[in-house]
Amino acid sequence: MKVGIIGAGMVGATAGFALVMRGTASEVVLVDIDGARARAEAEDIAHAIPFAASTIVRAGDYDDLAGAGVIILACGVSQKPGETRLALLERNAEVFGAVIAHVMAVCPDAILLVASNPVDLMTQITTRVSGLPPGRVIGSGTILDTARFRWLVGRHLGISPGSLHGYVLGEHGDSEVLAWSGARAGSVPLDSFAAQVAAPLTEDVRARIDNGVRRAAYTIIEGKGATWFGIGAGLARIVAAIAGDERAVLSVSVVEPDVLGVADVALSLPRLVGRDGVSATLWPDLSDDERGALRDSAALLRDRLAPLQHP
C-alpha cells in the first residue's frame, strides 16, 4: 500500500520510519511546506531500508500522493505564546482546510489518518471538511494511551503488555478514561490475575498507573520537548490494520453519532479497523463511574468544539 504523510516533522517522519521498519507500506511519500525538510527526512529514512523491508521512500508534492490508500495528517501550526486553545484550533482548522482540499483532489478514495493535536477535535474538523464518511477519517485517538496503560500494568504484573487486553477511552487528553473494569490478562479478569501472581492492584497502584498514563506526555515533553516514537509506532500499527484488512480492534477516534447522550462527537472507543477504515464501534462493559467519566469526556469535547467556526 502507498502511504502519504503530510507534515515531515518528528511525528510524521517517525511514522514513516516505523512504516519502513514494519514493512507495511510499498511506498511512503513525505509532503511538507518545507521541501528541504521533507527531502532530508525521506533520505534519512531510506538509508534504513537495507536493514528492513524494500520500501520506496521519497519526498514529493500533493500530486505525488495519487494512488495512496492512506494519508497521514501530521501537519499543523504550533501554539503561539499567549494564544488561546480556540485561536490555535481556528488556525489549525484553516491549515487543514487547505491541506484536505489538495488531498481530496488527488486521492479522494484514501483513508485519512489524523495525528495532529488536539487529535479528537482535528478528527471532527477533518470529517466535516472532507465530507467523507466518519469511518474513513480516523484519529490516532487513545491508541498511544492504551499502549501506555498496557505497558504500565504489564510492568506491575510482570507480564508482556501483549498479553493484556484493556483500553483507554474518550478524549486523548486529561479527561480520558482508563477502563479498568473490563481489562483482562489473557482471558482472566485483571484483579483475579493480579491476585494469582501476588501483585494486587491496590488503589495506590491504580492511582500510580492512572497518573502514569494521563501525565506521560507532560513528562516526556518536559524532558525533550515533544513525543514522537510512541505515536509514530501507533500510526504505523493503524496503517498495518488497514493495509492487511485485519479488522483489528484498536482504540481510535472517529465521529460517533451518540455517546451516552452526547451527540456527534469524535473520541476513542474500541473499533474494528480494516481495509475500509473503521467498520464498527464496540461498546465495552463499563462500571457506572467509567460510564459517567466517558460521558463527561464526550461533553467536554463537544463544548470545546462548539465555538469554532468551521471552514
Side-chain angles (χ1 to χ4, degrees):
M1 173 182 281
K2 180 177 179 178
V3 178
I5 301 176
I6 313 295
M10 292 309 301
V11 170
T14 305
F17 177 71
L19 287 168
V20 168
M21 298 309 290
R22 287 182 67 106
T24 298
S26 58
E27 182 177 357
V28 175
V29 179
L30 290 171
V31 177
D32 196 282
I33 193 170
D34 183 347
R37 173 67 181 267
R39 288 189 295 273
E41 295 290 2
E43 185 169 348
D44 196 12
I45 295 168
H47 294 164
I49 290 173
F51 309 113
S54 294
T55 303
I56 298 170
V57 181
R58 60 191 178 98
D61 297 318
Y62 285 104
D63 288 345
D64 296 301
L65 299 175
V70 176
I71 303 294
I72 297 175
L73 298 172
C75 49
V77 294
S78 300
Q79 192 164 10
K80 297 177 180 178
E83 185 176 34
T84 66
R85 185 194 303 265
L86 178 58
L88 175 64
L89 268 174
E90 288 174 336
R91 289 202 297 133
N92 264 328
E94 185 176 347
V95 170
F96 264 54
V99 167
I100 293 165
H102 287 303
V103 170
M104 297 304 295
V106 176
C107 43
D109 296 326
I111 291 169
L112 304 183
L113 177 52
V114 182
S116 302
N117 278 319
V119 69
D120 301 294
L121 302 182
M122 296 312 299
T123 299
Q124 189 141 5
I125 290 168
T126 300
T127 303
R128 294 184 181 182
V129 171
S130 68
L132 291 172
R136 287 182 55 200
V137 180
I138 306 172
S140 55
T142 60
I143 193 166
L144 178 55
D145 309 272
T146 291
R148 290 166 174 161
F149 181 35
R150 294 177 181 180
W151 177 69
L152 286 167
V153 173
R155 189 171 66 173
H156 173 73
L157 297 178
I159 63 173
S160 166
S163 295
L164 287 161
H165 309 283
Y167 297 93
V168 177
L169 312 175
E171 177 198 15
H172 171 57
D174 293 341
S175 73
E176 64 192 17
V177 181
L178 279 63
W180 287 99
S181 62
R184 299 285 187 274
S187 62
V188 181
L190 208 54
D191 283 331
S192 175
F193 186 95
Q196 292 181 53
V197 298
L201 288 164
T202 64
E203 289 302 315
D204 286 345
V205 169
R206 288 176 184 251
R208 186 170 66 249
I209 291 173
D210 184 284
N211 187 67
V213 173
R214 205 176 300 275
R215 304 294 299 177
Y218 296 102
T219 301
I220 294 169
I221 289 168
E222 182 179 349
K224 68 173 195 174
T227 69
W228 54 79
F229 291 120
I231 188 56
L235 292 166
R237 177 67 189 96
I238 297 168
V239 173
I242 296 168
D245 194 21
E246 293 182 21
R247 293 179 60 80
V249 179
L250 302 173
S251 57
V252 293
S253 183
V254 302
V255 175
E256 191 69 27
D258 181 83
V259 179
L260 302 173
V262 180
D264 189 36
V265 62
L267 48 58
S268 288
L269 289 163
R271 292 187 164 102
L272 289 181
V273 182
R275 178 183 56 216
D276 298 321
V278 168
S279 58
T281 293
L282 307 172
W283 287 90
D285 293 330
L286 301 173
S287 69
D288 289 342
D289 286 346
E290 290 165 349
R291 286 174 61 85
L294 181 58
R295 185 185 301 109
D296 290 346
S297 186
L300 180 148
L301 287 165
R302 176 200 59 198
D303 294 345
R304 282 183 182 166
L305 192 66
L308 184 63
Q309 297 297 316
H310 299 290

